[in-house]
């Protein structure tokens, strides 16, 4: 039994502690892809990294998250308005934050100072759908709905 217990024994989780965002845990590691996650307030934050730690520039990016979101506030509202209008859905909000809350942020890449990342929003009205907005720098590039 000792052989099998050692073979299938759970490996200790790798963690990385940050002063501003808390403790990140290595959630996925295969090949050259290593994803680190943490729960910060009500947000699930995900960044890339090495097998040993998240990439420092992505941690710094997330530390400035309120400013990054604020820069996009009007664009996000316009995108939701456009998507809802095209779908024939009721537009009962003047600002996205009055109807949606951010539930997850994923930083995929930082290149030449530009963030390639996405925000997942939860609709606060039924059917409580999730929407993911993909961002390159300050450009909103794609929008998906996850019901």
């Amino acid at each position: 039994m000792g052989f099998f217990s050692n073979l299938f024994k759970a490996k200790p989780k790798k963690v990385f502690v940050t002063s501003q965002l808390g403790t990140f845990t290595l959630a996925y590691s295969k090949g050259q892809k290593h994803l680190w996650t943490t729960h910060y307030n009500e947000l699930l934050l995900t960044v890339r990294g090495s097998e040993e730690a998240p990439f420092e520039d992505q941690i710094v990016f997330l530390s400035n998250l309120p400013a990054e979101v604020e820069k996009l506030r009007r664009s996000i509202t316009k995108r939701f308005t456009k998507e809802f209008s095209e779908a024939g859905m009721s537009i009962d909000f003047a600002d996205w934050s009055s109807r949606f809350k951010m539930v997850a942020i994923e930083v995929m890449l930082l290149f030449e100072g530009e963030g390639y990342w996405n925000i997942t929003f939860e609709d606060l009205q039924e059917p409580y759908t999730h929407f993911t907005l993909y961002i390159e720098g300050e450009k909103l590039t794609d929008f998906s709905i996850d019901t």
Side-chain angles (χ1 to χ4, degrees):
M1 186 75 165
F3 173 74
F4 284 108
S5 344
N6 286 335
L7 186 61
F8 296 106
K9 184 170 141 182
K11 295 178 185 174
K13 291 190 175 204
K14 291 186 179 181
V15 296
F16 183 84
V17 180
T18 67
S19 59
Q20 291 184 349
L21 301 172
T23 302
F24 281 80
T25 303
L26 182 61
Y28 177 85
S29 183
K30 190 169 186 177
Q32 296 299 314
K33 188 173 185 178
H34 310 285
L35 300 178
W36 292 81
T37 63
T38 191
H39 284 89
Y40 179 73
N41 295 330
E42 294 183 8
L43 281 173
L44 173 65
L45 304 177
T46 303
V47 295
R48 305 294 197 271
S50 69
E51 198 171 342
E52 301 305 317
F55 293 143
E56 183 65 28
D57 60 345
Q58 293 192 8
I59 298 294
V60 170
F61 180 83
L62 286 178
S63 297
N64 297 318
L65 189 60
E68 293 295 330
V69 172
E70 190 56 38
K71 284 192 287 189
L72 299 171
R73 177 168 295 284
R74 290 160 65 104
S75 298
I76 293 170
T77 300
K78 286 181 184 178
R79 186 64 182 254
F80 269 115
T81 301
K82 174 184 174 268
E83 297 294 337
F84 273 49
S85 176
E86 287 177 1
M89 297 171 66
S90 168
I91 303 167
D92 58 352
F93 54 91
D95 183 75
W96 67 267
S97 63
S98 64
R99 177 155 172 187
F100 307 94
K101 73 175 183 176
M102 296 187 303
V103 292
I105 306 287
E106 178 185 15
V107 180
M108 295 171 284
L109 173 70
L110 294 176
F111 180 70
E112 296 181 354
E114 297 274 310
Y116 293 74
W117 54 299
N118 62 63
I119 306 172
T120 300
F121 300 89
E122 180 179 348
D123 193 341
L124 298 174
Q125 297 180 10
E126 284 189 44
Y128 308 110
T129 304
H130 287 89
F131 301 90
T132 301
L133 186 58
Y134 297 86
I135 305 159
E136 295 179 7
E138 292 186 25
K139 184 178 177 188
L140 310 181
T141 59
D142 201 6
F143 187 85
S144 67
I145 302 171
D146 186 19
T147 56

